[in-house]
Amino acid sequence: MKVIFTLLLTLLIVQCEKNLGSKIESLLQTQLGHTLLSTAQLALQTNTPLDRIIDTLQDLEDKYQKDQKEEDQENREFQQKCDEDLKNLNDEIDGIKRQKVKIQGAIDQLKASIESKKKILNDKNALRKNLRKGMNEVDVIREYQEKIYEEKRGEVGKIIKTLEEVKLVYASKLRTNFMELQTEKTKVQPEVFAEVTKHLVSVGKFKSLGKPFQNIIDFMIQMSKNGNNIGVLRNIIDLSESLIRQIDEIWQVERKAEEERVRWYSEYQKFMDTDFKIYDKEIGELEAQLQSLKDRLSENQKKMDDLNLRLESKEYNKDDRREECQQAAYDYTQKRTSRSNDRNIVSEVVGLLNVNMRDLKETLAQKMAAGDRI
């Protein structure tokens, strides 16, 4: 039983030596551990009190811990500031997006109003165009009526003048031969009737007389060609006077009809002028409203462009800030891990000095004896 205990104790000692060697080897693999062990070895070789070495290392360990607390606090404050900045940027972005929705609604409404006003304006212009077309057609008709009326008036004037001249010529012949003319059958010189025929033929060329009057003129022409006495001459004069009266009566009716057409055309023009003024006023107002809507649309589109630029800038700032905060968090984590590892190394060295001082000195001495550089 005593032998077994001895063997177990031997194995435990060997195992502890192996663990110590493994710890020292692991510490030597790190720059800080190598530096601390080298410094500790040098201090031991110069008979520096162990307590001073341990106090120095513990001070270093405490400094690591203090620095880590300060950095933890700084990181918390920095990340809180990041959260605030990102929240503010998100709020600003949301606000810009809400403004965009509002402006886009106004733009859509303005576009719809513009299209509606354009349709109304086009309809008004079409109605005005048709009104002008109808008025032009009436103007053409009126010009034609006036032309026909003036032509008829000229012809009628000439007819009446010619018939008056016929009366005067024949009446003059009658007065000249009055003393000689005793009966209706008294002969009249042929040249007189020739002159009568000439005038009547000229009257017969006018188409304004109409068929009934044309027949009378033709009859008078035949009478003139075949006439040879006073009785025929007087009949022609009587017919001429009758024609003049009838033509004048008919022409008075025609003149009154023309006056009525003139009156109607004048009223029509007044009525159309009123309509044109109404259309022109409505069209002018519509054009002004349309221009106002276009100006407002342009202003809102400019606002939308500005909002898009602001949104792009804010989103860029947000992404940049987030990346900055994430990088800071990564750097903090890496630094904290590194400091924690360094503190653990210092803590292990302190533990070795406190617990395994003798073994540590022997192990380091052995390594130096073996030619290992510490």
Side-chain angles (χ1 to χ4, degrees), residues 36-47:
L36 292 176
L37 290 175
S38 298
T39 302
Q41 182 189 23
L42 182 61
L44 292 173
Q45 289 176 348
T46 58
N47 297 318

Side-chain angles (χ1 to χ4, degrees), residues 113-131 279 282-284 286-287 290 294:
S113 297
I114 287 173
E115 291 304 316
S116 176
K117 291 294 183 184
K118 280 183 177 179
K119 184 178 183 305
I120 296 173
L121 181 60
N122 290 336
D123 291 343
K124 290 290 183 182
N125 280 321
L127 289 173
R128 189 184 187 283
K129 184 177 179 181
N130 290 334
L131 193 67
Y279 276 118
E282 291 177 348
I283 288 172
L286 283 170
E287 288 176 343
L290 186 60
K294 288 181 178 179

Side-chain angles (χ1 to χ4, degrees), residues 184-247:
E184 294 292 327
K185 294 184 179 181
T186 302
K187 299 294 185 181
V188 178
Q189 296 297 325
E191 57 268 18
V192 175
F193 285 102
E195 189 174 355
V196 172
T197 301
K198 179 181 177 182
H199 283 293
L200 292 175
V201 169
S202 67
V203 173
K205 293 179 180 179
F206 295 113
K207 298 179 180 179
S208 301
L209 291 174
K211 187 65 175 176
F213 292 104
Q214 191 69 47
N215 292 337
I216 295 173
I217 294 296
D218 292 340
F219 175 69
M220 290 170 64
I221 290 172
Q222 292 299 321
M223 289 177 62
S224 177
K225 287 181 178 180
N226 299 324
N228 60 2
N229 56 51
I230 292 297
V232 174
L233 195 59
R234 283 177 174 163
N235 287 335
I236 291 174
I237 292 173
D238 293 339
L239 286 172
S240 296
E241 290 178 345
S242 177
L243 274 177
I244 289 172
R245 286 194 302 272
Q246 293 181 58
I247 290 172

Side-chain angles (χ1 to χ4, degrees), residues 136-343:
N136 290 340
E137 291 174 354
V138 171
D139 289 342
V140 170
I141 293 172
R142 180 60 200 137
E143 288 176 3
Y144 177 75
Q145 290 174 342
E146 188 174 2
K147 178 183 177 183
I148 295 300
Y149 174 77
E150 291 299 328
E151 288 178 354
K152 285 184 178 181
R153 189 172 68 143
E155 288 188 358
V156 169
K158 290 178 181 180
I159 291 170
I160 293 176
K161 181 180 178 181
T162 302
L163 291 174
E164 289 288 353
E165 289 176 351
V166 169
K167 282 173 53 182
L168 291 173
V169 170
Y170 297 160
S172 176
K173 293 296 182 182
L174 286 174
R175 286 195 298 271
T176 302
N177 298 321
F178 180 76
M179 299 303 296
E180 302 175 5
L181 300 177
Q182 300 296 325
T183 66
E184 294 292 327
K185 294 184 179 181
T186 302
K187 299 294 185 181
V188 178
Q189 296 297 325
E191 57 268 18
V192 175
F193 285 102
E195 189 174 355
V196 172
T197 301
K198 179 181 177 182
H199 283 293
L200 292 175
V201 169
S202 67
V203 173
K205 293 179 180 179
F206 295 113
K207 298 179 180 179
S208 301
L209 291 174
K211 187 65 175 176
F213 292 104
Q214 191 69 47
N215 292 337
I216 295 173
I217 294 296
D218 292 340
F219 175 69
M220 290 170 64
I221 290 172
Q222 292 299 321
M223 289 177 62
S224 177
K225 287 181 178 180
N226 299 324
N228 60 2
N229 56 51
I230 292 297
V232 174
L233 195 59
R234 283 177 174 163
N235 287 335
I236 291 174
I237 292 173
D238 293 339
L239 286 172
S240 296
E241 290 178 345
S242 177
L243 274 177
I244 289 172
R245 286 194 302 272
Q246 293 181 58
I247 290 172
D248 184 66
E249 290 174 358
I250 293 173
W251 182 248
Q252 291 303 319
V253 174
E254 181 66 25
R255 182 179 60 78
K256 289 181 180 180
E258 176 63 14
E259 289 175 353
E260 182 62 24
R261 287 192 291 269
V262 170
R263 186 195 64 76
W264 178 88
Y265 182 66
S266 177
E267 293 296 325
Y268 172 77
Q269 283 185 317
K270 291 179 182 178
F271 176 77
M272 296 303 285
D273 287 342
T274 301
D275 278 358
F276 274 116
K277 287 179 181 178
I278 293 173
Y279 276 118
D280 289 342
K281 180 181 178 182
E282 291 177 348
I283 288 172
E285 290 174 351
L286 283 170
E287 288 176 343
Q289 293 170 8
L290 186 60
Q291 187 59 50
S292 176
L293 289 171
K294 288 181 178 179
D295 291 342
R296 288 169 57 193
L297 176 61
S298 178
E299 291 175 1
N300 279 277
Q301 287 175 333
K302 185 178 179 181
K303 288 180 181 178
M304 181 63 79
D305 292 339
D306 292 341
L307 287 174
N308 286 331
L309 289 174
R310 286 179 57 198
L311 180 62
E312 183 180 356
S313 175
K314 293 298 180 182
E315 288 180 339
Y316 175 82
N317 291 340
K318 174 187 172 182
D319 293 340
D320 187 60
R321 183 61 171 157
R322 180 189 287 115
E323 184 178 351
E324 179 186 4
C325 295
Q326 289 175 342
Q327 184 63 43
Y330 175 79
D331 292 342
Y332 161 77
T333 301
Q334 294 296 109
K335 193 173 181 180
R336 194 178 199 286
T337 300
S338 176
R339 182 179 284 112
S340 178
N341 291 335
D342 290 347
R343 188 168 63 82

